[in-house]
Amino acid sequence: MGILFSFAVVVAIVLLVFAGVSGAGLNYLFAVIIPYIALLIFIVGMVYRVVNWGRSAVPFKVPTTGGQQTSLPWIAANKLDNPSTSYGVIGRMLLEVLLFRSLFRNTKAELHSGSRLIYGSEKLLWLAALAFHYCFLVILIRHLRFFVVPVPAPIEFLEFMDSFFQVGAPLVYITNFLIIIALLYLLYRRIGMPQIKYISLPSDYFPLFLILAIAISGILMRYFDKVDVVGVKQIAMGLVSFRPTIPDGIGVIFYIHFALVCTLFAYFPFSKLVHMGGVFLSPTRNLANNNRMIRHVNPWDYPIKSRSYEDYENEFRDKMKKAGIPVEKE
Amino acid sequence: MATKGKPPKPEELSKISYTPPSKGWMDTPVEFKPGMYCHGTRAKYLEAVGMPFPRDWSASEADWKLPDNWKEIVLQGIKERLQKFRTFHVFMDICVRCGACADKCHFFLGGGDPKNMPVLRAELLRSVYRKYFTTSGKILGKAAGARELTEDVLKELWYYYFQCTECRRCSLFCPYGIDQAEITIIGRELLNLLGLNIDWIMGPVANSYRTGNHLGLEPHTIKANIDFMIDDIETITGIKVDTTYNRKGAEILFIGPSGDLFGVPGNYVTMGELMLFHEIGLDYTWSTMACEGGNFGFFTSMEVAKKLYYKIYSEAKRLGVKWILGGECGHQWRLMNQFADTWWGPPDFLEEPVSPITGTKFENAKGSKIVHITEFTADLIKHGKLKFDKSRNDHLKITFHDSCNTARAMGIFEEPRYIINSVCNHFYEMPESTIREKTFCCGSGSGLNAGENIELRMRGGFPRANAVKYVRDTFGVNMLANICAIDRAALPTLMDYWNPGMDVCGVHELVGNALVMKGEIERTLDLRTEPLPGKGGTE
């Protein structure tokens, strides 16, 4: 159900843009108004989400420890999986954000002959996730060439690297195809693996279909249904300089691609995609395991009355005296 | 109090399918299966600590006698906690349902119930959160993974949030560190707003408030129990060890789990500790009030947890000790490592802990002033302060079970292993995916070691038992060592069920066996007063 629903929504967006541009001539709406709105929603939404999380208190320091603690000097501590200093925490976060360290631990449990649990290594999810995120990042950065004149050297270099195995023109980017493979694998997990299918919501399929559609429309317009790149750059430059222009003769495929991207941006703050910001705020990862060294203060701590020793002794004094246990009041 | 259910035979229980049903989880109402849940708490226990809506009720009956405004209370409770706990707030929002946690939970691995996949256990509450606290959930409803909070949903939360032992294994594998333990803790707080705790947690909480320990041991009983141990130690070693209670001016206050003061095999741990402290001439005392480092309040609500931990520093202050030494207990160390100082600190009336024997400064405990006993003992051994006859443990082939809390909320891995290797000749590790930070729960943690949920416990302990079976069959392991009182209470039952013949012990029992004491008689008995094979005892 969720699969069809999400797929249908993406198809509907594509059809809507197609009709809007080629039928009703709503080029300005799709190339100017919606992009501005989407970007605004993205920025305001993400800032709101992160600020909102940030406003929630961190009453206790509860890192999940993934290695030996720092204790006696002759015992080697695992400074990254169980950091006790801020540097360690930064290291742990870098590993987490840049290399998906926790996902790298992934195992797959199987029950053999009804009696033996075996834990195999399961790195495909890690690999696909890493491939997808890095491809997305590279593609995003590559697209900056549309928004700046002249194109900065780092972007040119990235393009060069990304098309390293290229023969002929136009440049074929490795990431374009890797991202599709990664997305298809992630989609396969949700459709082909019963457990993952069971936990998946429409909001899990939707971003996959949406980003797939973005990638496919991008590839189509680059290699097959080629659009006027100069015109596209004019639109992009117009948007960043707040003097929007719409040159004629840009294929509808561009508008579809662009509208899908806008959908992604606008959808982002309302979805699970906010994990992009949330991962930095996860208290089980971004805190040091040094509570016994440095006191953590609970900002909303309030006084609690508990049983006093006096109360305790009053109840048990006779028994204590009889047993020869010292008491405060004889 | 708890009627012991009889679980199906192991051969039956290990027929587990991990394939979920075709019907979606939101459309599958909760089914209360006997043996899989605990008795609801009795009113008197809630009254003992002043908790709301005390009443006698039963989970198996349709009417849970909820207050009229229960829904409002829960929703208000969620709202407050979103602001008070960033963990909860972030974890409600950022899960992408990648499923990495799914097959990491011992309850899922041992039972196959898809709602025991941590991701789904969280979704049970997340779906409610979405419905009432997110724009998309309010507008799109089920399409956004949102659902109404109904009585059935509340019951489902209760059923599954008392099928989680807060072991944090899922959190280790989650790419964002989403910790179901945190979500379970909040979920249980919400349930406790309606008086919906379980008897097995609330009874110990009430006991702990009154007597200072879960078992309800009164001061003279504590002394009597330790006296028995001292007599046994004299029988075994010929040495009469001495100890003190509530002694002002002692250098160190020792606080262990009360489970080690009562019943086997925990009492052997205490015996080992008494022998060790005697041998090194440690200036320490017990507090009959702060005689429990464990805290079932932590399985109830943060407030109750804090309430029950008042005694720790207040007794240290009253007795005028310099620092605190904590015993072998799992969740005690979750709290002593991550909560004690925040709750009742700073303990500026104490001194930075220094071992009086070796002079080692325990830098890692300089703030909270609480040292773990395996840190203390490992340091003694490293400095050559103890003499051991390892051969006294030669009849044992040992493996070590890392407890969830000491593993994933502390990271104390090398200290106990160093001690075991110093006092035993035969030590074997379980498979890599089942130890250290990846360790599996005993299946009975977080207050779930009752009798009526025995099937749940045997299922939850299945992955642990399975790894123990592996080292038993491969290396002939016959002793499962650990540093947790709940392990010592729960693992014997688990082993009897899955791996009959496997014994369970604490690390300091092994220390006591091997420790060569000044002036001792030739040992023919181990701490269990059983003949030591090959030591002149009658075998």
Side-chain angles (χ1 to χ4, degrees):
Chain A
M1 269 311 287
I3 306 169
L4 287 178
F5 175 77
S6 304
F7 186 72
V9 173
V10 175
V11 171
I13 295 169
V14 172
L15 292 178
L16 193 76
V17 182
F18 184 78
V21 173
S22 38
L26 298 170
N27 300 29
Y28 198 80
L29 176 71
F30 287 111
V32 177
I33 299 174
I34 288 179
Y36 278 134
I37 294 174
L39 191 66
L40 198 69
I41 293 174
F42 175 77
I43 293 169
V44 174
M46 278 312 283
V47 169
Y48 173 78
R49 290 305 286 261
V50 172
V51 168
N52 205 20
W53 288 324
R55 275 170 36 201
S56 290
V58 182
F60 306 108
K61 212 194 274 179
V62 288
T64 306
T65 56
Q68 171 64 35
Q69 65 165 356
T70 301
S71 61
L72 298 163
W74 49 274
I75 295 177
N78 186 332
K79 293 187 167 79
L80 288 171
D81 288 324
N82 189 350
S84 61
T85 62
S86 302
Y87 290 114
V89 169
I90 292 168
R92 185 183 204 187
M93 288 307 293
L94 286 176
L95 281 182
E96 213 54 274
V97 173
L98 299 179
L99 295 174
F100 303 178
R101 196 266 176 272
S102 290
L103 207 53
F104 189 70
R105 285 196 185 94
N106 197 26
T107 56
K108 182 174 169 49
E110 274 171 3
L111 192 57
H112 284 238
S113 57
S115 61
R116 231 192 117 192
L117 270 171
I118 308 277
Y119 311 94
S121 167
E122 171 58 62
K123 303 275 188 260
L124 260 183
L125 173 60
W126 171 81
L127 195 67
L130 205 66
F132 163 68
H133 282 85
Y134 272 102
C135 287
F136 195 100
L137 181 68
V138 168
I139 293 170
L140 193 72
I141 294 173
R142 276 205 277 104
H143 277 69
L144 291 180
R145 72 147 43 246
F146 289 105
F147 298 91
V148 278
V149 185
V151 177
I155 295 179
E156 303 246 330
F157 178 71
L158 194 68
E159 285 173 351
F160 169 73
M161 290 304 289
D162 200 359
S163 55
F164 197 71
F165 301 107
Q166 173 65 16
V167 273
L171 290 181
V172 174
Y173 293 119
I174 301 160
T175 47
N176 286 358
F177 296 93
L178 265 184
I179 198 170
I180 300 248
I181 294 168
L183 281 165
L184 287 176
Y185 176 71
L186 295 174
L187 193 61
Y188 156 74
R189 290 183 80 249
R190 295 209 179 272
I191 296 170
M193 296 184 180
Q195 287 169 18
I196 312 300
K197 186 176 181 186
Y198 196 73
I199 60 174
S200 293
L201 296 171
S203 56
D204 295 316
Y205 299 110
F206 179 65
L208 285 176
F209 284 127
L210 184 63
I211 298 170
L212 257 178
I214 290 171
I216 292 169
S217 58
I219 289 172
L220 280 179
M221 103 177 107
R222 182 170 175 81
Y223 304 110
F224 302 100
D225 186 11
K226 290 178 188 164
V227 293
D228 170 17
V229 181
V230 179
V232 170
K233 180 139 187 171
Q234 272 180 295
I235 293 185
M237 292 307 295
L239 287 172
V240 288
S241 61
F242 295 102
R243 283 192 295 269
T245 51
I246 308 276
D248 286 333
I250 298 175
V252 68
I253 186 82
F254 162 76
Y255 291 93
I256 291 172
H257 182 70
F258 201 25
L260 290 169
V261 173
C262 292
T263 309
L264 181 66
F265 271 65
Y267 174 71
F268 210 97
F270 303 99
S271 70
K272 68 170 189 177
L273 304 178
V274 294
H275 67 264
M276 180 182 85
V279 61
F280 293 95
L281 280 92
S282 180
T284 62
R285 290 291 184 274
N286 69 10
L287 293 168
N289 177 32
N290 60 2
N291 308 44
R292 280 195 287 158
M293 284 179 250
I294 300 162
R295 179 163 189 258
H296 181 80
V297 178
N298 174 358
W300 50 259
D301 197 27
Y302 53 94
I304 286 174
K305 204 183 155 314
S306 190
R307 190 174 209 212
S308 65
Y309 174 76
E310 200 183 0
D311 264 8
Y312 172 87
E313 188 180 303
N314 285 341
E315 182 173 347
F316 298 114
R317 182 172 297 110
D318 292 343
K319 289 169 175 168
M320 290 169 81
K321 281 164 75 176
K322 228 179 192 170
I325 299 169
V327 290
E328 294 276 342
K329 273 193 221 156
E330 282 301 325
Chain B
M1 107 180 113
T3 46
K4 272 219 164 174
K6 223 176 128 71
K9 290 198 165 23
E11 306 82 75
E12 290 298 310
L13 213 68
S14 61
K15 285 178 191 155
I16 304 159
S17 164
Y18 300 136
T19 310
S22 52
K23 201 172 172 190
W25 65 268
M26 270 200 210
D27 303 316
T28 311
V30 58
E31 182 195 343
F32 280 67
K33 293 182 183 151
M36 296 294 283
Y37 63 98
C38 293
H39 298 317
T41 183
R42 278 168 277 185
K44 61 177 182 181
Y45 295 144
L46 292 175
E47 282 156 3
V49 282
M51 291 182 63
F53 302 114
R55 66 196 181 281
D56 291 332
W57 63 285
S58 168
S60 51
E61 278 167 32
D63 182 11
W64 283 18
K65 304 177 190 172
L66 297 171
D68 290 338
N69 60 340
W70 69 267
K71 195 168 158 179
E72 199 181 305
I73 292 171
V74 173
L75 293 179
Q76 182 59 31
I78 293 175
K79 192 177 172 199
E80 265 174 41
R81 281 157 187 79
L82 287 169
Q83 289 155 9
K84 285 168 92 173
F85 296 90
R86 189 177 297 166
T87 44
F88 183 50
H89 196 171
V90 172
F91 297 165
M92 283 296 104
D93 284 327
I94 64 171
C95 177
V96 299
R97 288 162 297 280
C98 71
C101 61
D103 61 355
K104 307 305 180 286
C105 174
H106 49 284
F107 284 118
F108 178 68
L109 289 174
D113 184 337
K115 286 177 188 169
N116 275 328
M117 293 191 255
V119 49
L120 260 198
R121 197 185 282 111
E123 288 289 314
L124 299 178
L125 186 53
R126 223 178 254 134
S127 55
V128 173
Y129 161 76
R130 289 197 197 101
K131 179 76 196 170
Y132 299 93
F133 299 95
T134 70
T135 319
S136 55
K138 280 176 197 165
I139 299 168
L140 297 172
K142 203 176 160 185
R147 63 173 179 169
E148 292 272 350
L149 177 60
T150 63
E151 251 187 76
D152 283 343
V153 168
L154 184 76
K155 287 176 179 175
E156 186 177 56
L157 281 173
W158 187 86
Y159 188 73
Y160 287 104
Y161 280 52
F162 288 101
Q163 286 192 8
C164 165
T165 48
E166 304 179 4
C167 81
R168 314 188 95 196
R169 195 167 190 269
C170 50
S171 165
L172 182 78
F173 290 92
C174 175
Y176 318 121
I178 297 173
D179 183 7
Q180 178 59 39
E182 283 289 307
I183 302 174
T184 295
I185 287 167
I186 303 291
R188 289 189 184 182
E189 276 208 15
L190 296 170
L191 293 163
N192 270 283
L193 296 175
L194 304 171
L196 296 176
N197 208 331
I198 62 171
D199 214 53
W200 193 259
I201 291 176
M202 218 45 228
V205 165
N207 278 338
S208 193
Y209 191 60
R210 189 175 79 90
T211 63
N213 64 79
H214 293 147
L215 301 169
L217 304 173
E218 298 187 358
H220 58 291
T221 316
I222 293 173
K223 182 168 184 296
N225 287 1
I226 292 179
D227 281 346
F228 266 120
M229 298 179 202
I230 288 174
D231 287 347
D232 277 352
I233 292 170
E234 192 175 9
T235 308
I236 296 161
T237 66
I239 295 170
K240 181 105 183 154
V241 306
D242 202 9
T243 191
T244 59
Y245 307 89
N246 300 357
R247 177 166 61 89
K248 288 191 175 178
E251 184 174 357
I252 292 162
L253 171 62
F254 178 71
I255 305 176
S258 68
D260 285 357
L261 299 174
F262 184 85
V264 294
N267 55 342
Y268 307 129
V269 177
T270 304
M271 285 167 67
E273 288 159 349
L274 288 164
M275 292 160 71
L276 173 72
F277 299 158
H278 169 89
E279 184 58 23
I280 59 175
L282 193 69
D283 178 15
Y284 78 104
T285 190
W286 299 82
S287 157
T288 56
M289 186 186 184
C291 58
E292 173 74 273
N295 183 341
F296 273 37
F298 191 63
F299 313 136
T300 300
S301 75
M302 283 296 167
E303 183 173 314
V304 176
K306 182 180 171 184
K307 192 177 251 194
L308 295 188
Y309 243 41
Y310 170 68
K311 65 195 170 200
I312 305 290
Y313 282 140
S314 67
E315 275 294 272
K317 190 175 187 181
R318 185 180 72 83
L319 297 172
V321 300
K322 288 183 181 165
W323 53 277
I324 297 167
L325 184 60
E328 289 186 21
C329 177
H331 74 275
Q332 160 176 350
W333 274 96
R334 164 86 129 122
L335 304 184
M336 287 189 160
N337 189 46
Q338 298 195 326
F339 290 83
D341 198 357
T342 300
W343 278 332
W344 293 107
D348 41 19
F349 43 87
L350 298 175
E351 291 177 16
E352 291 184 16
V354 177
S355 170
I357 316 302
T358 65
T360 298
K361 282 186 183 173
F362 295 98
E363 295 279 350
N364 63 327
K366 66 182 178 188
S368 70
K369 279 93 174 172
I370 313 179
V371 175
H372 192 286
I373 187 153
T374 63
E375 295 168 343
F376 180 75
T377 305
D379 173 66
L380 289 172
I381 297 171
K382 184 74 181 176
H383 284 84
K385 300 294 180 186
L386 304 174
K387 255 180 82 180
F388 294 115
D389 178 357
K390 289 166 103 167
S391 69
R392 290 177 194 162
N393 284 320
D394 272 354
H395 58 301
L396 304 176
K397 290 191 170 177
I398 294 149
T399 193
F400 181 69
H401 160 70
D402 292 280
S403 306
C404 320
N405 285 294
T406 54
R408 287 180 289 263
M410 190 178 188
I412 190 161
F413 301 123
E414 294 304 331
E415 292 87 343
R417 283 174 172 79
Y418 178 74
I419 296 172
I420 292 172
N421 279 314
S422 302
V423 301
C424 307
N425 284 315
H426 310 297
F427 174 64
Y428 304 90
E429 290 278 18
M430 284 181 273
E432 189 263 340
S433 287
T434 70
I435 55 167
R436 295 179 185 257
E437 70 274 7
K438 299 196 195 87
T439 190
F440 276 109
C441 179
C442 61
S444 305
S446 82
L448 301 186
N449 52 328
E452 65 271 18
N453 62 340
I454 191 73
E455 183 177 335
L456 175 76
R457 291 175 48 198
M458 297 305 103
R459 286 188 181 283
F462 174 63
R464 169 42 74 225
N466 210 254
V468 175
K469 185 172 184 294
Y470 173 78
V471 284
R472 184 191 70 178
D473 297 348
T474 313
F475 307 113
V477 163
N478 57 12
M479 184 58 91
L480 178 55
N482 59 73
I483 48 171
C484 169
I486 290 189
D487 282 329
R488 290 189 283 275
L491 289 174
T493 316
L494 187 75
M495 290 303 120
D496 283 350
Y497 183 79
W498 290 109
N499 308 317
M502 180 67 57
D503 247 323
V504 176
C505 75
V507 167
H508 277 77
E509 177 183 344
L510 301 171
V511 171
N513 271 339
L515 185 68
V516 176
M517 300 173 74
K518 286 181 278 293
E520 69 179 7
I521 55 172
E522 193 190 334
R523 297 248 197 127
T524 56
L525 302 171
D526 65 11
L527 293 201
R528 303 186 175 196
T529 59
E530 283 162 13
L532 273 174
K535 295 286 173 187
T538 43
E539 283 177 38

